[in-house]
Amino acid sequence: MGLSKKGWLEYEVAEADAGLTVESIVREKLHVSGRMLQRLTRSKGVLLNRKPPFLKRVVKAGDKVAVRVQDQPGQDASPQQAAQRKQGKRVEAALPVEILYEDEHLLVANKPAGMMVHPVKQDQQGTLVHALAEYLREKGEPDRVHPVHRLDKETSGAILVGKTSYGHQLADRLLRDGSLHREYLAVVCGRLEEANGTISAPIGRDPRHPTRRKVTERGEEAVTHYELEAFSADTSLVRVWLETGRTHQIRVHFRHIGHPLAGDGMYGGRRDLLRRQALHASKLSFPHPITGQESVCEAPLPDDMNELIKREYNLANR
């Protein structure tokens, strides 16, 4: 299975696949979702031996099934993106974004603290989506950007992005089946008594605040694991990884056990330690959805958290 220069992914039917339908090959071997298959069918984006087939046609060994995996102009564009293209606008990145990993389908970026992932207003600029779209345009590639998960505005670190609709649905499958491993470094207030632990407490909206979350019996299941890396008289450095991905999960869970994140004013953290929540998405790993090869991306600590850690624990650069 390989990607052609024209943006098509091709699969040669093996002896064991003979008797399957074109649709089965596309869904099971090329990992195309039902929604994407419908879109490809309408745009002649599925080929059998270089010709558009009936999806129920049975294949034989040696047949070549191909799907278009590069987005066509205008495909899945948001109203904001469509307006920008129509008016010929270029949106410059407000902050530099480091690229930690990239291939034809996926990209991992190191988001700076203070940068939102998505625009929340039609005319908003300077988001990660804008920065990556500009990066891809500069390379002469389609500029549709599909973040797979979210990071809070003030959380820095690694985030997985689909470069195409196909890449996005592959990565989303990783997220849903638990193959995407997300690891964080956090500084929390107070000294943790246990060297490691698991926080399992459902999270829902706080009815008294429009954006805040809280632990509540009526919330969604949320599980956070942690290990203590270092401690001082007043704080603890923890490595955290997620089993679920609820909004503000790490922030809410550590507040719940009485150790809010340093700098996190929304959840009761000390503001004299850092001017934002001390949370950094330090590591992202996953088996590549096409090759199966393990990809490990590590995001270096930003200066503010690095200084905090050196100050509190006398540790060298991490």
Side-chain angles (χ1 to χ4, degrees):
M1 186 162 56
L3 183 71
S4 77
K5 292 182 180 180
K6 294 182 180 180
W8 290 74
L9 194 66
E10 186 176 85
Y11 179 82
E12 184 169 341
V13 177
E15 290 283 354
D17 303 325
L20 295 176
T21 64
V22 172
E23 181 176 1
S24 295
I25 294 294
V26 172
R27 295 288 298 270
E28 298 170 17
K29 305 300 180 180
L30 293 169
H31 311 294
V32 171
S33 67
R35 181 179 177 183
M36 184 175 180
L37 179 57
Q38 291 178 353
R39 187 167 63 242
L40 289 173
T41 302
R42 291 194 298 267
S43 63
K44 297 183 179 180
V46 178
L47 299 179
L48 173 63
N49 300 326
R50 299 186 178 181
K51 296 180 180 179
F54 292 110
L55 292 181
K56 298 303 180 183
R57 180 170 173 176
V58 173
V59 299
K60 61 183 185 299
D63 282 344
K64 294 181 178 180
V65 179
V67 296
R68 185 193 302 111
V69 294
Q70 190 171 74
D71 292 339
Q72 294 179 296
Q75 180 180 316
D76 289 342
S78 68
Q80 297 96 320
Q81 290 172 318
Q84 289 160 10
R85 294 192 189 102
K86 185 176 181 180
Q87 298 169 21
K89 288 185 179 180
R90 294 171 60 84
V91 181
E92 301 296 335
L95 292 170
V97 176
E98 179 185 9
I99 306 301
L100 303 174
Y101 171 87
E102 184 176 7
D103 61 27
E104 300 96 333
H105 308 287
L106 304 174
L107 178 153
V108 178
N110 183 12
K111 186 187 81 68
M115 175 182 274
M116 296 186 69
V117 173
H118 294 276
V120 294
K121 299 178 181 178
Q122 186 168 348
D123 59 348
Q124 183 178 358
Q125 299 183 10
T127 69
L128 180 70
V129 165
H130 286 112
L132 294 180
E134 179 67 17
Y135 165 75
L136 293 174
R137 280 196 293 272
E138 289 290 339
K139 295 176 62 180
E141 297 185 17
D143 61 356
R144 262 73 69 197
V145 179
H146 311 267
V148 178
H149 55 104
R150 292 176 181 267
L151 293 177
D152 294 340
K153 179 180 178 181
E154 298 302 334
T155 298
S156 56
I159 182 169
L160 179 61
V161 175
K163 292 174 61 177
T164 62
S165 299
Y166 180 69
H168 180 256
Q169 61 113 41
L170 289 177
D172 187 60
R173 183 175 299 181
L174 291 174
L175 183 65
R176 287 186 283 108
D177 68 16
S179 300
L180 182 63
H181 180 74
R182 292 169 287 169
E183 206 166 286
Y184 298 76
L185 280 174
V187 175
V188 303
C189 298
R191 180 171 170 177
L192 288 166
E193 295 181 0
E194 302 294 333
N196 54 69
T198 295
I199 309 168
S200 181
I203 293 175
R205 291 185 176 274
D206 186 338
R208 297 172 297 179
H209 194 282
T211 58
R212 195 163 52 201
R213 300 298 193 272
K214 62 181 291 187
V215 168
T216 170
E217 292 181 357
R218 293 174 292 181
E220 295 181 288
E221 178 189 17
V223 181
T224 303
H225 306 282
Y226 69 88
E227 286 186 358
L228 181 63
E229 296 273 298
F231 59 84
S232 66
D234 301 313
T235 66
S236 300
L237 174 65
V238 289
R239 182 173 66 90
V240 183
W241 61 102
L242 300 177
E243 195 169 309
T244 56
R246 309 305 175 202
T247 300
H248 297 180
Q249 179 171 320
I250 294 173
R251 300 165 65 188
V252 172
H253 270 175
F254 278 96
R255 159 74 180 270
H256 179 62
I257 65 170
H259 296 278
L261 270 61
D264 191 356
M266 178 178 285
Y267 292 105
R270 287 176 51 188
R271 296 300 301 274
D272 60 322
L273 295 170
L274 200 67
R275 300 183 68 177
R276 64 174 178 100
Q277 66 252 20
L279 183 62
H280 176 68
S282 57
K283 186 176 179 181
L284 199 63
S285 59
F286 54 91
H288 195 281
I290 294 178
T291 67
Q293 182 176 354
E294 186 72 12
S295 298
V296 180
C297 306
E298 298 194 33
L301 275 171
D303 290 343
D304 59 350
M305 273 196 66
N306 201 40
E307 288 299 319
L308 173 63
I309 289 171
K310 286 195 295 183
R311 187 171 68 244
E312 287 289 310
Y313 314 110
N314 196 28
L315 295 176
N317 289 5
R318 299 178 64 86

